[in-house]
Amino acid sequence: MIRPATPDDIQNISNIYASIHSEEEAGRTTTGWVRGIYPTPDTARDALARGELFVAEESGAVVGAAILNQRQVDVYAGAPWRWQAPDSQVMVLHTLVIDPAAKGRGYGRAFVAYYEAWARAHSCTCLRMDTNARNLPARALYRRLGYTEAAIVPCTFNGLEGVQLVLLEKHL
């Protein structure tokens, strides 16, 4: 089940962020994220305050989270998007995380399906998201779900320097 997050979910989301950082530090995953820089508990708190934070649950336990909104980050400007639309018709998925202990169970796919339904319900025809070029599993998942890579942009992103940011899109 995917639902809007509540204040009670922040600690669980923070724990997922910490688990992903631990996996990255141990060399078992490559997200390109850095503990203490991004994502942090404030990432979740700020999104919750804006009403943009969602969680995936299994048997009452939070197993994933994401931010859904219409905020296109600055590096999206000028990208060679195949699908052009006014900002009011673009929905963006940010910071999709699945607890490493729950990976491989379809939660990422389910979250993307929820995101697409959310976009339709808000009259959005263009879907956009991004990931670090180093995050090969995410890139493969998004490709399987019909997203195309519009560009790879070198930038400083969410406080992380030297990021090769993959911009992805899909038209509904």
Side-chain angles (χ1 to χ4, degrees), residues 70-87:
Q70 292 184 270
R71 298 171 196 255
Q72 298 181 72
V73 295
D74 59 351
V75 297
Y76 287 22
W81 300 108
R82 178 176 176 196
W83 305 105
Q84 299 297 320
D87 291 347

Side-chain angles (χ1 to χ4, degrees), residues 15 18-19 41 50 66 78 83 85 88 94 104 110 120 123 129 131 154 162 172:
N15 292 344
S19 294
R50 294 188 309 266
W83 305 105
S88 63
H94 307 271
R120 282 186 190 94
S123 302
M129 64 176 76
T131 193
L172 293 177

Side-chain angles (χ1 to χ4, degrees), residues 69-135:
N69 61 36
Q70 292 184 270
R71 298 171 196 255
Q72 298 181 72
V73 295
D74 59 351
V75 297
Y76 287 22
W81 300 108
R82 178 176 176 196
W83 305 105
Q84 299 297 320
D87 291 347
S88 63
Q89 292 179 8
V90 177
M91 187 66 68
V92 184
L93 172 70
H94 307 271
T95 321
L96 172 60
V97 294
I98 303 300
D99 188 329
K103 75 178 186 178
R105 296 186 200 159
Y107 295 116
R109 178 182 295 272
F111 231 120
V112 172
Y114 184 89
Y115 159 60
E116 292 176 1
W118 182 262
R120 282 186 190 94
H122 290 83
S123 302
C124 292
T125 58
C126 287
L127 303 173
R128 293 184 180 159
M129 64 176 76
D130 56 72
T131 193
N132 193 306
R134 297 171 44 197
N135 193 342

